[in-house]
């Protein structure tokens, strides 16, 4: 068996075992190597042997559980990580918003209470209400997420929707996807290469990115004022946002749209699992759109509060010090330029890394 035959056999085995539960894959791979090796010797051709075995997607069914199920083994692993990711995102976002609302409400009640004991009681009541509300919101969010993700994967199971990318033209050198093209019989030339180890995308990195985007978006929607300074002035709780909330009705949709594009790109990377042309194109398009939207937010719209430093200084007439230094040196335009430069640099770095790994290892 020459190198090309071995490569073709490994492609076939990879397409079979990836559809099986993890605890079966090693054993099935060993069995298939022996079986295909014997068949190739008998047929005097690896292509003939693999053609006899047929489409690996169909062949894998011989090892799959034939019992009826809502989420089958082909989708179960993907279903679990999507469910975990979305549950974590929803749970953390709801908890953070509830905690922030509870803390600020309690502090406000404590500071503004006419009598000390009254203020403490009001603060305690605010914390209890926040905890109760947070538990209720968390329960509703988790149940909704579980039902939505389960329904989505059940529909994919019934309709045999796969994540694999596909083309209509097949060749040994230009492989993509493993599904049938309607009206075309399966041949070994349709086998996709086993991904290079360095082409694999870390699920952990994608999950962290998804969690960050969801939490950040939730805070922007429900509590944008937490991004700023929270001050106690003369017994009152003052909140000075770093964002321009007067224009928030215009700024927020663009902000969320930009974050949504980043979220879609992260989910696509998570689903794909390895660097490929589709991931590269998605990353380039999403990154470019995010740079454009960032430029619009930071240079066209006044996303930053132009009175941020002066508002802080207003409440510190006696004790200025570092606050006065901030007021003198704060410049919204300069800060916006710095943030835009940072966004462009980080986005281009990510695009460059994706392009390099795709061209080098995919």
């Amino acid at each position: 068996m020459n190198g090309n035959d071995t490569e073709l056999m490994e492609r076939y085995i990879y397409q079979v075992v990836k559809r099986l539960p993890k605890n079966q894959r090693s054993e099935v791979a060993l069995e298939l190597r022996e079986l295909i090796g014997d068949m190739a010797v008998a047929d005097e051709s690896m292509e003939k042997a693999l053609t006899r075995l047929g489409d690996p997607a169909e062949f894998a069914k011989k090892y799959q559980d034939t019992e009826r199920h809502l989420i089958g083994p082909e989708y179960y692993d993907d279903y679990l990580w999507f469910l975990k990711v979305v549950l974590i995102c929803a749970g953390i976002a709801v908890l953070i918003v509830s905690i922030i609302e509870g803390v600020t409400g309690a502090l406000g009640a404590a500071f503004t209470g006419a009598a000390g004991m009254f203020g403490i009681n009001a603060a305690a009541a605010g914390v209890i209400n926040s905890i109760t509300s947070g538990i209720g919101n968390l329960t509703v969010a988790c149940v909704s997420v579980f039902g939505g993700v389960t329904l989505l994967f059940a529909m994919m199971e019934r309709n045999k929707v796969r994540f694999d990318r596909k083309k209509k033209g097949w060749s040994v050198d230009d492989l993509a996807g493993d599904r049938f093209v309607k009206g075309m019989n399966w041949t070994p030339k349709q086998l996709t290469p086993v991904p290079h180890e360095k082409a694999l995308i870390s699920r952990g990195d994608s999950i962290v990115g998804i969690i960050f985007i969801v939490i950040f978006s939730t805070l922007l929607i429900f509590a944008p004022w937490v991004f700023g300074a929270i001050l106690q002035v003369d017994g009152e709780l003052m909140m000075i946002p770093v964002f321009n909330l007067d224009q928030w009705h215009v700024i927020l949709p663009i902000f969320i749209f930009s974050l949504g594009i980043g979220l879609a790109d992260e989910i696509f990377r998570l689903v794909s699992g390895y660097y490929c042309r589709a991931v590269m194109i998605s990353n380039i398009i999403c990154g470019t759109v995010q740079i454009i939207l960032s430029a619009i937010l930071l240079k066209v719209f006044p996303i930053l509060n132009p009175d941020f430093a002066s508002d802080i200084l207003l409440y510190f007439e006696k004790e200025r010090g570092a606050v006065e230094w901030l007021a003198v040196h704060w410049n919204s335009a300069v800060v916006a330029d710095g943030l835009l430069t940072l966004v462009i640099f980080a986005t281009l770095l990510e695009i460059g890394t994706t392009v390099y790994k795709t061209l080098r290892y995919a």
Side-chain angles (χ1 to χ4, degrees):
M1 188 183 302
N2 59 36
N4 290 335
D5 288 345
T6 302
E7 170 69 12
L8 206 56
M9 178 180 69
E10 290 300 325
R11 293 184 182 188
Y12 189 93
I13 293 172
Y14 173 76
Q15 293 295 334
V16 173
V17 300
K18 78 173 188 177
R19 293 173 165 79
L20 304 178
K22 289 183 177 179
N23 58 355
Q24 289 184 249
R25 293 176 183 177
S26 298
E27 183 180 351
V28 171
L30 291 174
E31 291 178 3
L32 285 178
R33 287 189 183 95
E34 184 178 353
L35 172 65
I36 295 172
D38 293 340
M39 291 179 64
V41 171
D43 292 337
E44 299 182 349
S45 169
M46 180 60 69
E47 278 206 29
K48 289 181 180 179
L50 296 181
T51 302
R52 282 175 57 196
L53 290 176
D55 180 11
E58 296 297 320
F59 188 83
K61 292 179 181 179
K62 299 177 185 295
Y63 295 94
Q64 292 173 351
D65 184 4
T66 57
E67 295 179 3
R68 299 183 66 181
H69 37 238
L70 184 64
I71 310 294
E74 182 176 354
Y75 297 89
Y76 190 69
D77 287 340
D78 294 329
Y79 166 72
L80 281 183
W81 11 293
F82 271 105
L83 186 59
K84 289 175 184 177
V85 170
V86 181
L87 280 174
I88 290 171
C89 291
I92 292 177
V94 170
L95 283 175
I96 287 178
V97 171
S98 298
I99 289 171
I100 291 173
E101 290 179 347
V103 170
T104 54
L107 290 175
F111 291 147
T112 58
M117 185 57 70
F118 174 78
I120 293 173
N121 290 339
V127 171
I128 293 172
N129 289 336
S130 174
I131 293 173
T132 305
S133 175
I135 292 174
N137 292 337
L138 180 62
T139 302
V140 172
C142 290
V143 171
S144 301
V145 164
F146 177 80
V149 173
T150 302
L151 178 62
L152 173 65
F153 273 83
M155 292 173 62
M156 291 195 296
E157 174 75 33
R158 295 295 170 267
N159 293 283
K160 298 301 177 187
V161 176
R162 292 189 175 94
F163 295 137
D164 300 322
R165 295 153 299 284
K166 57 185 182 296
K167 294 180 183 178
K168 291 187 176 180
W170 302 99
S171 70
V172 174
D173 297 322
D174 187 18
L175 297 168
D178 58 25
R179 297 183 63 191
F180 279 112
V181 177
K182 194 170 182 179
M184 179 184 290
N185 293 325
W186 182 89
T187 68
K189 294 181 179 181
Q190 298 174 15
L191 291 171
T192 58
V194 178
H196 191 285
E197 182 180 355
K198 292 185 179 180
L200 298 177
I201 296 174
S202 170
R203 289 183 180 180
D205 292 345
S206 297
I207 290 172
V208 169
I210 291 171
I211 292 174
F212 172 78
I213 292 172
V214 171
I215 293 175
F216 190 47
S217 300
T218 304
L219 292 176
L220 288 176
I221 294 171
F222 296 106
W225 41 264
V226 302
F227 299 98
I230 302 177
L231 310 173
Q232 180 188 354
V233 180
D234 296 330
E236 295 185 5
L237 198 65
M238 306 300 300
M239 300 178 186
I240 303 175
V242 73
F243 293 126
N244 186 358
L245 298 186
D246 291 336
Q247 299 294 322
W248 201 237
H249 63 286
V250 178
I251 295 170
L252 181 61
I254 302 175
F255 214 152
I256 296 301
F257 181 61
S258 177
L259 291 171
I261 290 173
L263 180 63
D265 186 48
E266 288 290 352
I267 291 176
F268 186 68
R269 290 160 69 92
L270 180 66
V271 169
S272 299
Y274 60 91
Y275 291 99
C276 60
R277 185 171 298 179
V279 169
M280 181 179 70
I281 293 173
S282 170
N283 191 244
I284 292 173
I285 293 175
C286 291
T288 302
V289 173
Q290 284 187 302
I291 289 175
I292 294 172
L293 292 177
S294 298
I296 292 174
L297 285 172
L298 292 167
K299 301 302 292 182
V300 178
F301 292 103
I303 186 174
L304 298 176
N305 180 4
D307 301 321
F308 177 69
S310 58
D311 286 346
I312 293 178
L313 190 60
L314 183 65
Y315 296 104
F316 284 85
E317 295 181 356
K318 295 180 180 180
E319 299 179 5
R320 297 194 172 190
V323 176
E324 186 175 16
W325 182 91
L326 175 63
V328 171
H329 292 85
W330 175 270
N331 186 317
S332 297
V334 174
V335 174
D337 290 340
L339 289 174
L340 182 59
T341 301
L342 182 62
V343 168
I344 293 174
F345 175 77
T347 304
L348 291 180
L349 180 62
E350 182 182 6
I351 291 175
T353 302
T354 301
V355 171
Y356 171 76
K357 290 191 174 183
T358 299
L359 298 180
R360 179 70 177 84
Y361 301 113

